[in-house]
Amino acid sequence: MTHTVNRWHCYPDERLRNSGDTIDAHQFRVSVMCAKFAISLKFPDSRREELFFAARTHDEAEKVLGDMPGPAKERFPALAAAYAEAEKTVMAEMGFRWSLTDQEAAILHLADKLDGELWARKHGVTGSHDCDKLQSMADDLGLGEMVMGMLK
């Protein structure tokens, strides 16, 4: 694919809606966070590489399907489930396959949500994510202090 997808396109606050964030930029930031987290937790190189690859490509299907906004996924769970199935199909067709442990999947999820919060703050928008939930996720992974420092 040679194009990208804008993020936040349905967000009510124009500072985010017009922020220029893209799937490619988001995936890069998430992959850097995941790499830092994996190094901090002393993952073996092979697991770091798998997590980094997953983080760097985790939203590639959105280049085909578009970015389904989080509030829509929450409001219409059946639609979210169908979209998730479509994502799996598209990712497989694109050749993006990885195998993450539960811990690695939780780290990717944390980095994905944390990136959204940090991007929103960078653009003067607060309250876009539940920071207590982010902190709890980080604490559960042994990354609490690192994430606390990023959220300050």
Side-chain angles (χ1 to χ4, degrees):
M1 290 279 157
T2 57
H3 69 281
T4 191
V5 175
N6 287 325
R7 298 184 77 228
W8 309 99
H9 57 91
C10 291
Y11 201 80
D13 190 311
E14 68 181 32
R15 292 173 292 179
L16 285 181
R17 194 173 53 251
N18 299 325
S19 68
D21 197 11
T22 65
I23 297 304
D24 290 335
H26 162 69
Q27 290 181 134
F28 177 77
R29 293 189 306 267
V30 169
S31 66
V32 170
M33 269 191 257
C34 283
K36 288 179 180 179
F37 293 158
I39 290 167
S40 174
L41 295 171
K42 298 180 175 35
F43 281 14
D45 287 347
S46 62
R47 297 314 314 161
R48 289 182 200 175
E49 291 169 10
E50 188 78 359
L51 178 57
F52 182 83
F53 177 69
R56 188 65 187 96
T57 59
H58 75 279
D59 282 339
E60 284 295 306
E62 292 180 9
K63 292 180 178 178
V64 174
L65 301 172
D67 181 16
M68 184 176 179
K73 291 178 185 177
E74 292 167 13
R75 185 168 177 201
F76 302 102
L79 183 58
Y83 184 85
E85 281 302 310
E87 281 185 316
K88 286 180 190 174
T89 299
V90 170
M91 292 296 278
E93 290 171 356
M94 296 172 100
F96 294 121
R97 295 181 177 93
W98 57 81
S99 178
L100 299 179
T101 66
D102 289 345
Q103 180 188 31
E104 292 161 351
I107 288 169
L108 176 55
H109 183 70
L110 170 64
D112 190 38
K113 299 299 182 195
L114 183 58
D115 177 64
E117 176 62 22
L118 295 173
W119 184 266
R121 287 181 179 196
K122 177 180 177 179
H123 290 84
V125 179
T126 58
S128 62
H129 290 83
D130 182 348
C131 287
D132 289 338
K133 185 175 179 181
L134 287 173
Q135 193 62 56
S136 177
M137 291 167 60
D139 289 341
D140 290 347
L141 291 164
L143 297 166
E145 285 186 39
M146 182 180 272
V147 169
M148 187 184 314
M150 296 169 82
L151 288 171
K152 286 187 176 185

